[in-house]
Amino acid sequence: MSDRYANFANSGPGRVLVKRLGLPNPPMLRRYRPGDPLVRGPVLVGAAPGGRIEGPVRKMLTVAEVPMDGGPPWSALVFDATGVTDAAALHPIYEFFHANARALAGGGRVIVFGTPPAACASPREATAQRALEGLTRSIGKEFGRGSTAQLVYVAPGAEEFTDSTVRFLLSGRSAYVSGQVIWIGQVSSSPLTNWARPLEGKVALVTGAAQGIGAAIARVLARDGASVVALDVPAAGEALALVANEIGGTALQLDLTRPDAPSTLAAQLLSRHGRVDVVVHNAGITRDKTIAKMSAEQWDAVVDVNLSSQERINDALIPLLPEGGRIISVSSTSGIAGNRGQTNYATSKAGVIGLVQSMAPILAPQGVTINAVAPGFIETRMTARMPLAAREVGRRMNSLSQGGLPIDVAETIAWLAAPGSAGITGNVVRVCGQMWLGA
């Protein structure tokens, strides 16, 4: 559905009126298109004394042919804060952003690197590193003009495993991701990555792929080289076939709530492909009512489709995942903040986060990662049916003053699915434009 207010706000008369009345001002976001450069201009890199990340980041930017001089304006401000060992040592961060905040171009990117507090050598260091979360989330709300800000915690020894994340966060692929904290751990090896088609030769399963977010995920994974198995219920068979044909993938009609669905799915993947490399749990339903008015059937249906089916499918498919396999679940900001009239949905989506966080250490010895994305307000058929007032609140109550698009969720999933993201597991990344409340 078109955002008419955003279109008006970005017109000539609209810009004047929005500024005069102090109305929400949704910027035009810089989204990725094939062939786009990683950034549009030079990147400024700074560091606190003793940082571990500056060198690897400069090396990565050099390989990617990203200039690090010639500004301002700067396309991105990148700061290595891993050397900060106490609160007093936070001052160089202030100096860096104070001096350069106004020099960041519209649609610019801010990335701060830190050390996971649990890996710090002292309570003072852990305290200072935790303080970086307040810094980056505030910057995400202050800089405006379509800019985003993220904090990336890099475990000691994982300095060389940041390329995939830096590329994602600098590019237009992360247009609707802001105010996030990403954790990168150490892995045994950093696989070579074809940055143009990182999923070349991979087999990816996408559930709920007939329309909306699921169809966008299928398209982006196919664009990145994957052979996609697009799955949805038989009632969506016609739309599912159109998506599968468009991307040169395979359509699989299957109701995931059937008792034999996991074994049927595993048998299909094994017979046709011999394995599955990427599993994307996107299938989901809503049955909204306040809990006082909600029937047992409405509760059970949502929990079964959105949560229990993921557990059953994982049980069947994990044996088919090779080393380097990926599981990515679609949660929701409702699972983080809750939502009136969605106790069943919020319960199921919070459970998805619990599933990811509890399974990550279990799958790590197999070289398999599991992560979640949590979309906020995304422009889909479902949100188009919302009452006007609720829809406008959902769109505007974030740092970017607009709803996201299905491709924003898809791009985030493709980043987590890539071989270069091997150090990322147990993460929950919100695709919400940095919501103002609750999450």
Side-chain angles (χ1 to χ4, degrees):
M1 181 177 179
S2 175
D3 185 343
R4 294 181 180 178
Y5 174 82
N7 292 338
F8 171 73
N10 281 285
S11 68
R15 280 191 288 269
V16 173
L17 187 62
V18 163
K19 183 176 181 180
R20 180 178 300 169
L21 298 180
L23 298 173
N25 186 14
M28 297 293 291
L29 300 185
R30 175 172 66 92
R31 289 189 168 93
Y32 171 77
R33 293 177 298 181
D36 280 356
L38 193 60
V39 291
R40 292 176 176 172
V43 172
L44 181 64
V45 181
R52 299 179 286 111
I53 303 297
E54 181 183 11
V57 167
R58 287 185 179 276
K59 177 182 176 182
M60 177 248 130
L61 294 174
T62 299
V63 171
E65 299 182 342
V66 173
M68 286 172 277
D69 53 32
W74 303 104
S75 287
L77 302 175
V78 178
F79 193 88
D80 175 9
T82 57
V84 172
T85 56
D86 59 31
L90 292 167
H91 191 78
I93 306 174
Y94 157 77
E95 292 180 337
F96 178 80
F97 287 109
H98 175 72
N100 297 294
R102 293 182 177 87
L104 183 66
R109 303 289 189 256
V110 173
I111 306 174
V112 176
F113 291 97
T115 299
C120 290
S122 71
R124 287 180 181 270
E125 181 182 1
T127 299
Q129 290 294 324
R130 178 60 177 79
L132 299 175
E133 295 191 28
L135 169 83
T136 50
R137 287 185 170 133
S138 296
I139 285 174
K141 294 177 178 180
E142 284 185 4
F143 282 15
R145 298 186 301 148
S147 63
T148 64
Q150 329 289 347
L151 172 61
V152 182
Y153 281 131
V154 182
E159 294 82 6
E160 301 296 331
F161 308 132
T162 60
D163 284 20
S164 177
T165 297
V166 174
R167 286 173 179 267
F168 171 70
L169 295 178
L170 288 179
S171 75
R173 301 171 193 262
S174 61
Y176 203 62
V177 177
S178 190
Q180 297 306 288
V181 179
I182 297 159
W183 305 74
I184 301 179
Q186 189 173 1
V187 292
S188 59
S189 63
S190 182
L192 295 176
T193 300
N194 174 352
W195 297 113
R197 288 174 64 83
L199 297 177
E200 192 76 58
K202 304 292 185 183
V203 177
L205 168 71
V206 180
T207 69
Q211 62 183 5
I213 292 173
I217 295 167
R219 293 185 183 105
V220 170
L221 296 185
R223 178 204 70 192
D224 285 359
S227 297
V228 177
V229 178
L231 182 150
D232 217 312
V233 293
E238 184 175 350
L240 183 69
L242 290 174
V243 172
N245 290 338
E246 175 191 339
I247 63 175
T250 303
L252 178 56
Q253 298 181 31
L254 183 63
D255 182 347
L256 295 178
T257 63
R258 280 174 33 187
D260 66 341
S263 59
T264 299
L265 178 56
Q268 289 271 4
L269 290 169
L270 192 59
S271 64
R272 294 191 180 187
H273 302 282
R275 72 187 194 286
V276 61
D277 300 287
V278 179
V279 176
V280 181
H281 292 293
N282 170 71
I285 62 171
T286 57
R287 299 290 185 269
D288 295 352
K289 293 282 185 181
T290 60
I291 197 165
K293 298 179 180 179
M294 186 181 298
S295 69
E297 290 76 15
Q298 290 169 325
W299 174 276
D300 291 341
V302 170
V303 172
D304 190 35
V305 173
N306 296 3
L307 179 57
S308 298
S309 71
Q310 292 194 22
E311 295 178 306
R312 295 191 297 266
I313 291 168
N314 284 348
D315 289 344
L317 297 190
I318 285 172
L320 305 186
L321 284 166
E323 183 177 2
R326 304 281 187 265
I327 300 174
I328 303 150
S329 294
V330 177
S331 180
S332 168
T333 53
S334 293
I336 299 170
N339 202 15
R340 176 180 167 80
Q342 287 195 317
T343 52
N344 49 2
Y345 184 77
T347 297
S348 69
K349 294 302 186 178
V352 167
I353 293 172
L355 168 66
V356 164
Q357 293 175 338
S358 61
M359 288 297 293
I362 295 172
L363 295 174
Q366 301 172 226
V368 173
T369 68
I370 180 169
N371 295 284
V373 297
F377 186 98
I378 304 297
E379 302 282 356
T380 63
R381 292 181 182 179
M382 182 178 73
T383 54
R385 293 194 295 267
M386 294 172 62
L388 176 61
R391 187 167 66 241
E392 283 303 301
V393 169
R395 281 172 169 160
R396 310 304 164 208
M397 293 294 284
N398 60 72
S399 295
L400 299 174
S401 299
Q402 60 194 284
L405 301 180
I407 196 169
D408 297 323
V409 181
E411 294 284 16
T412 307
I413 287 173
W415 156 58
L416 294 170
S421 299
I424 305 170
T425 193
N427 279 239
V428 180
V429 180
R430 288 184 280 120
V431 186
C432 65
Q434 194 181 16
M435 287 177 61
W436 288 355
L437 302 175

